[in-house]
Amino acid sequence: MPIDRRSFLLQGAGMAAALLGLNPLPSRADEPKRDTLQAAAAPPGSEPGLRLCRPADPLQALIDGNARFVQAWAAADRAETPQARAQLLSELWTKHCYTPAHVLRAGQAPWAAVLACADARVAPEWIFSAALSDLFVVRAAGNTAFNDAVGSLEYGVGQLGIPLILVMGHSGCGAVQAARSSNPLTPSLTELVQPIRTSLTAGEALNASIKANARHSAAMLPSASALLRQAQACGKLAIRSSYYDIASGRVSLL
């Protein structure tokens, strides 16, 4: 995706009446059809007259971005020097993930929200080859639907018009391991892993527990929020769950 596709802010005749009122933009000859963008109203606080661009299919955009990351991740893993690895990953950033500061100053236009684990190896912007302002990211150990996460996602959907929430579990999740264990935890950690324990099945493998937890968190979001439930019911919001394999860099939908 060319860098100018990441500018997001286009001069328009006016702001749309609703955050999710999308209108297709004319495609450019040098842009692949699968990356067709749509114009959406600018969020409150943006400069008057500005319009924001989002992918026509946010889920496909995440899949495509992850495919780019997987390719670069594998190539970097094969590289023989730190300099070569840095170069490969730097190219991914410069070709697909750069948004100029003057654009960001004008406002944000996230087209997907990701509820992810706080694990230091799990960075959604990298994993989905996304630019600043593309993703509205909420993170906590175990990617659970805790109260603050639900409130943050309500803001993203209600105020920013985000049409997709992706819950992402990952391989080797320490929070899920803690939930499966009988070892004593601090009161805060006990509270943190309680929703994870609700999703567990006795005797299942760790990866199965991680995936079950991601599905459970996705199911809990509309149950915990009337706003998310209503947006989902009227077709303005999709909620999906997924699993990220750290070794390969690949995200699989559940």
Side-chain angles (χ1 to χ4, degrees), residues 55-69:
D57 187 341
L59 184 59
Q60 187 61 49
L62 290 179
I63 293 170
D64 293 343
N66 179 243
R68 293 193 298 268
F69 174 75

mmCIF file with all atom_site columns, all heavy atoms in Angstrom, residues 55-69:
data_model
loop_
_atom_site.group_PDB
_atom_site.id
_atom_site.type_symbol
_atom_site.label_atom_id
_atom_site.label_alt_id
_atom_site.label_comp_id
_atom_site.label_asym_id
_atom_site.label_entity_id
_atom_site.label_seq_id
_atom_site.pdbx_PDB_ins_code
_atom_site.Cartn_x
_atom_site.Cartn_y
_atom_site.Cartn_z
_atom_site.occupancy
_atom_site.B_iso_or_equiv
_atom_site.pdbx_formal_charge
_atom_site.auth_seq_id
_atom_site.auth_comp_id
_atom_site.auth_asym_id
_atom_site.auth_atom_id
_atom_site.pdbx_PDB_model_num
ATOM 1   N N   . PRO A 1 55 ? -10.667 1.337   5.015  1.00 0.00 ? 55 PRO A N   1
ATOM 2   C CA  . PRO A 1 55 ? -10.848 0.236   4.071  1.00 0.00 ? 55 PRO A CA  1
ATOM 3   C C   . PRO A 1 55 ? -12.320 -0.131  3.943  1.00 0.00 ? 55 PRO A C   1
ATOM 4   O O   . PRO A 1 55 ? -13.068 -0.077  4.916  1.00 0.00 ? 55 PRO A O   1
ATOM 5   C CB  . PRO A 1 55 ? -10.058 -0.914  4.712  1.00 0.00 ? 55 PRO A CB  1
ATOM 6   C CG  . PRO A 1 55 ? -9.165  -0.279  5.718  1.00 0.00 ? 55 PRO A CG  1
ATOM 7   C CD  . PRO A 1 55 ? -9.864  0.948   6.184  1.00 0.00 ? 55 PRO A CD  1
ATOM 8   N N   . ALA A 1 56 ? -12.727 -0.523  2.758  1.00 0.00 ? 56 ALA A N   1
ATOM 9   C CA  . ALA A 1 56 ? -14.104 -0.965  2.562  1.00 0.00 ? 56 ALA A CA  1
ATOM 10  C C   . ALA A 1 56 ? -14.386 -2.242  3.345  1.00 0.00 ? 56 ALA A C   1
ATOM 11  O O   . ALA A 1 56 ? -15.507 -2.475  3.779  1.00 0.00 ? 56 ALA A O   1
ATOM 12  C CB  . ALA A 1 56 ? -14.372 -1.184  1.073  1.00 0.00 ? 56 ALA A CB  1
ATOM 13  N N   . ASP A 1 57 ? -13.362 -3.069  3.537  1.00 0.00 ? 57 ASP A N   1
ATOM 14  C CA  . ASP A 1 57 ? -13.491 -4.322  4.281  1.00 0.00 ? 57 ASP A CA  1
ATOM 15  C C   . ASP A 1 57 ? -12.398 -4.363  5.347  1.00 0.00 ? 57 ASP A C   1
ATOM 16  O O   . ASP A 1 57 ? -11.289 -4.824  5.086  1.00 0.00 ? 57 ASP A O   1
ATOM 17  C CB  . ASP A 1 57 ? -13.360 -5.516  3.329  1.00 0.00 ? 57 ASP A CB  1
ATOM 18  C CG  . ASP A 1 57 ? -13.645 -6.848  4.009  1.00 0.00 ? 57 ASP A CG  1
ATOM 19  O OD1 . ASP A 1 57 ? -13.592 -6.915  5.254  1.00 0.00 ? 57 ASP A OD1 1
ATOM 20  O OD2 . ASP A 1 57 ? -13.926 -7.829  3.287  1.00 0.00 ? 57 ASP A OD2 1
ATOM 21  N N   . PRO A 1 58 ? -12.682 -3.886  6.556  1.00 0.00 ? 58 PRO A N   1
ATOM 22  C CA  . PRO A 1 58 ? -11.649 -3.820  7.597  1.00 0.00 ? 58 PRO A CA  1
ATOM 23  C C   . PRO A 1 58 ? -11.028 -5.174  7.932  1.00 0.00 ? 58 PRO A C   1
ATOM 24  O O   . PRO A 1 58 ? -9.821  -5.262  8.152  1.00 0.00 ? 58 PRO A O   1
ATOM 25  C CB  . PRO A 1 58 ? -12.386 -3.231  8.800  1.00 0.00 ? 58 PRO A CB  1
ATOM 26  C CG  . PRO A 1 58 ? -13.534 -2.486  8.214  1.00 0.00 ? 58 PRO A CG  1
ATOM 27  C CD  . PRO A 1 58 ? -13.947 -3.279  7.015  1.00 0.00 ? 58 PRO A CD  1
ATOM 28  N N   . LEU A 1 59 ? -11.842 -6.225  7.979  1.00 0.00 ? 59 LEU A N   1
ATOM 29  C CA  . LEU A 1 59 ? -11.293 -7.537  8.316  1.00 0.00 ? 59 LEU A CA  1
ATOM 30  C C   . LEU A 1 59 ? -10.312 -8.004  7.253  1.00 0.00 ? 59 LEU A C   1
ATOM 31  O O   . LEU A 1 59 ? -9.238  -8.529  7.562  1.00 0.00 ? 59 LEU A O   1
ATOM 32  C CB  . LEU A 1 59 ? -12.422 -8.552  8.490  1.00 0.00 ? 59 LEU A CB  1
ATOM 33  C CG  . LEU A 1 59 ? -11.993 -9.956  8.932  1.00 0.00 ? 59 LEU A CG  1
ATOM 34  C CD1 . LEU A 1 59 ? -11.267 -9.898  10.276 1.00 0.00 ? 59 LEU A CD1 1
ATOM 35  C CD2 . LEU A 1 59 ? -13.199 -10.882 9.018  1.00 0.00 ? 59 LEU A CD2 1
ATOM 36  N N   . GLN A 1 60 ? -10.655 -7.802  5.991  1.00 0.00 ? 60 GLN A N   1
ATOM 37  C CA  . GLN A 1 60 ? -9.737  -8.186  4.914  1.00 0.00 ? 60 GLN A CA  1
ATOM 38  C C   . GLN A 1 60 ? -8.470  -7.347  4.963  1.00 0.00 ? 60 GLN A C   1
ATOM 39  O O   . GLN A 1 60 ? -7.370  -7.841  4.667  1.00 0.00 ? 60 GLN A O   1
ATOM 40  C CB  . GLN A 1 60 ? -10.413 -8.027  3.553  1.00 0.00 ? 60 GLN A CB  1
ATOM 41  C CG  . GLN A 1 60 ? -9.590  -8.570  2.390  1.00 0.00 ? 60 GLN A CG  1
ATOM 42  C CD  . GLN A 1 60 ? -9.321  -10.057 2.514  1.00 0.00 ? 60 GLN A CD  1
ATOM 43  O OE1 . GLN A 1 60 ? -10.253 -10.834 2.757  1.00 0.00 ? 60 GLN A OE1 1
ATOM 44  N NE2 . GLN A 1 60 ? -8.074  -10.465 2.372  1.00 0.00 ? 60 GLN A NE2 1
ATOM 45  N N   . ALA A 1 61 ? -8.603  -6.077  5.352  1.00 0.00 ? 61 ALA A N   1
ATOM 46  C CA  . ALA A 1 61 ? -7.427  -5.222  5.476  1.00 0.00 ? 61 ALA A CA  1
ATOM 47  C C   . ALA A 1 61 ? -6.488  -5.747  6.556  1.00 0.00 ? 61 ALA A C   1
ATOM 48  O O   . ALA A 1 61 ? -5.256  -5.714  6.407  1.00 0.00 ? 61 ALA A O   1
ATOM 49  C CB  . ALA A 1 61 ? -7.836  -3.789  5.782  1.00 0.00 ? 61 ALA A CB  1
ATOM 50  N N   . LEU A 1 62 ? -7.047  -6.245  7.658  1.00 0.00 ? 62 LEU A N   1
ATOM 51  C CA  . LEU A 1 62 ? -6.218  -6.854  8.706  1.00 0.00 ? 62 LEU A CA  1
ATOM 52  C C   . LEU A 1 62 ? -5.542  -8.122  8.190  1.00 0.00 ? 62 LEU A C   1
ATOM 53  O O   . LEU A 1 62 ? -4.354  -8.352  8.442  1.00 0.00 ? 62 LEU A O   1
ATOM 54  C CB  . LEU A 1 62 ? -7.067  -7.182  9.927  1.00 0.00 ? 62 LEU A CB  1
ATOM 55  C CG  . LEU A 1 62 ? -7.587  -6.011  10.761 1.00 0.00 ? 62 LEU A CG  1
ATOM 56  C CD1 . LEU A 1 62 ? -8.440  -6.528  11.918 1.00 0.00 ? 62 LEU A CD1 1
ATOM 57  C CD2 . LEU A 1 62 ? -6.449  -5.154  11.290 1.00 0.00 ? 62 LEU A CD2 1
ATOM 58  N N   . ILE A 1 63 ? -6.285  -8.940  7.479  1.00 0.00 ? 63 ILE A N   1
ATOM 59  C CA  . ILE A 1 63 ? -5.719  -10.168 6.922  1.00 0.00 ? 63 ILE A CA  1
ATOM 60  C C   . ILE A 1 63 ? -4.586  -9.854  5.958  1.00 0.00 ? 63 ILE A C   1
ATOM 61  O O   . ILE A 1 63 ? -3.516  -10.476 5.988  1.00 0.00 ? 63 ILE A O   1
ATOM 62  C CB  . ILE A 1 63 ? -6.822  -10.985 6.221  1.00 0.00 ? 63 ILE A CB  1
ATOM 63  C CG1 . ILE A 1 63 ? -7.829  -11.506 7.252  1.00 0.00 ? 63 ILE A CG1 1
ATOM 64  C CG2 . ILE A 1 63 ? -6.225  -12.146 5.424  1.00 0.00 ? 63 ILE A CG2 1
ATOM 65  C CD1 . ILE A 1 63 ? -9.066  -12.122 6.647  1.00 0.00 ? 63 ILE A CD1 1
ATOM 66  N N   . ASP A 1 64 ? -4.804  -8.876  5.090  1.00 0.00 ? 64 ASP A N   1
ATOM 67  C CA  . ASP A 1 64 ? -3.772  -8.500  4.120  1.00 0.00 ? 64 ASP A CA  1
ATOM 68  C C   . ASP A 1 64 ? -2.541  -7.923  4.816  1.00 0.00 ? 64 ASP A C   1
ATOM 69  O O   . ASP A 1 64 ? -1.400  -8.214  4.446  1.00 0.00 ? 64 ASP A O   1
ATOM 70  C CB  . ASP A 1 64 ? -4.333  -7.476  3.128  1.00 0.00 ? 64 ASP A CB  1
ATOM 71  C CG  . ASP A 1 64 ? -5.411  -8.060  2.225  1.00 0.00 ? 64 ASP A CG  1
ATOM 72  O OD1 . ASP A 1 64 ? -5.498  -9.306  2.141  1.00 0.00 ? 64 ASP A OD1 1
ATOM 73  O OD2 . ASP A 1 64 ? -6.156  -7.281  1.624  1.00 0.00 ? 64 ASP A OD2 1
ATOM 74  N N   . GLY A 1 65 ? -2.775  -7.088  5.836  1.00 0.00 ? 65 GLY A N   1
ATOM 75  C CA  . GLY A 1 65 ? -1.653  -6.508  6.569  1.00 0.00 ? 65 GLY A CA  1
ATOM 76  C C   . GLY A 1 65 ? -0.851  -7.570  7.288  1.00 0.00 ? 65 GLY A C   1
ATOM 77  O O   . GLY A 1 65 ? 0.389   -7.528  7.315  1.00 0.00 ? 65 GLY A O   1
ATOM 78  N N   . ASN A 1 66 ? -1.543  -8.556  7.864  1.00 0.00 ? 66 ASN A N   1
ATOM 79  C CA  . ASN A 1 66 ? -0.833  -9.635  8.536  1.00 0.00 ? 66 ASN A CA  1
ATOM 80  C C   . ASN A 1 66 ? -0.033  -10.480 7.543  1.00 0.00 ? 66 ASN A C   1
ATOM 81  O O   . ASN A 1 66 ? 1.071   -10.943 7.863  1.00 0.00 ? 66 ASN A O   1
ATOM 82  C CB  . ASN A 1 66 ? -1.815  -10.513 9.302  1.00 0.00 ? 66 ASN A CB  1
ATOM 83  C CG  . ASN A 1 66 ? -1.132  -11.672 10.004 1.00 0.00 ? 66 ASN A CG  1
ATOM 84  O OD1 . ASN A 1 66 ? -1.387  -12.839 9.698  1.00 0.00 ? 66 ASN A OD1 1
ATOM 85  N ND2 . ASN A 1 66 ? -0.227  -11.388 10.936 1.00 0.00 ? 66 ASN A ND2 1
ATOM 86  N N   . ALA A 1 67 ? -0.559  -10.675 6.347  1.00 0.00 ? 67 ALA A N   1
ATOM 87  C CA  . ALA A 1 67 ? 0.177   -11.426 5.323  1.00 0.00 ? 67 ALA A CA  1
ATOM 88  C C   . ALA A 1 67 ? 1.492   -10.729 4.979  1.00 0.00 ? 67 ALA A C   1
ATOM 89  O O   . ALA A 1 67 ? 2.529   -11.388 4.797  1.00 0.00 ? 67 ALA A O   1
ATOM 90  C CB  . ALA A 1 67 ? -0.686  -11.596 4.074  1.00 0.00 ? 67 ALA A CB  1
ATOM 91  N N   . ARG A 1 68 ? 1.466   -9.402  4.913  1.00 0.00 ? 68 ARG A N   1
ATOM 92  C CA  . ARG A 1 68 ? 2.709   -8.658  4.656  1.00 0.00 ? 68 ARG A CA  1
ATOM 93  C C   . ARG A 1 68 ? 3.689   -8.850  5.808  1.00 0.00 ? 68 ARG A C   1
ATOM 94  O O   . ARG A 1 68 ? 4.897   -9.043  5.602  1.00 0.00 ? 68 ARG A O   1
ATOM 95  C CB  . ARG A 1 68 ? 2.399   -7.170  4.466  1.00 0.00 ? 68 ARG A CB  1
ATOM 96  C CG  . ARG A 1 68 ? 1.601   -6.840  3.231  1.00 0.00 ? 68 ARG A CG  1
ATOM 97  C CD  . ARG A 1 68 ? 1.592   -5.346  2.938  1.00 0.00 ? 68 ARG A CD  1
ATOM 98  N NE  . ARG A 1 68 ? 0.980   -4.567  4.008  1.00 0.00 ? 68 ARG A NE  1
ATOM 99  C CZ  . ARG A 1 68 ? -0.301  -4.234  4.042  1.00 0.00 ? 68 ARG A CZ  1
ATOM 100 N NH1 . ARG A 1 68 ? -1.127  -4.649  3.090  1.00 0.00 ? 68 ARG A NH1 1
ATOM 101 N NH2 . ARG A 1 68 ? -0.782  -3.502  5.035  1.00 0.00 ? 68 ARG A NH2 1
ATOM 102 N N   . PHE A 1 69 ? 3.165   -8.794  7.035  1.00 0.00 ? 69 PHE A N   1
ATOM 103 C CA  . PHE A 1 69 ? 4.028   -8.970  8.201  1.00 0.00 ? 69 PHE A CA  1
ATOM 104 C C   . PHE A 1 69 ? 4.629   -10.367 8.237  1.00 0.00 ? 69 PHE A C   1
ATOM 105 O O   . PHE A 1 69 ? 5.817   -10.537 8.527  1.00 0.00 ? 69 PHE A O   1
ATOM 106 C CB  . PHE A 1 69 ? 3.230   -8.714  9.483  1.00 0.00 ? 69 PHE A CB  1
ATOM 107 C CG  . PHE A 1 69 ? 4.000   -9.008  10.740 1.00 0.00 ? 69 PHE A CG  1
ATOM 108 C CD1 . PHE A 1 69 ? 4.992   -8.152  11.180 1.00 0.00 ? 69 PHE A CD1 1
ATOM 109 C CD2 . PHE A 1 69 ? 3.730   -10.156 11.471 1.00 0.00 ? 69 PHE A CD2 1
ATOM 110 C CE1 . PHE A 1 69 ? 5.716   -8.432  12.335 1.00 0.00 ? 69 PHE A CE1 1
ATOM 111 C CE2 . PHE A 1 69 ? 4.448   -10.443 12.630 1.00 0.00 ? 69 PHE A CE2 1
ATOM 112 C CZ  . PHE A 1 69 ? 5.436   -9.576  13.061 1.00 0.00 ? 69 PHE A CZ  1
#
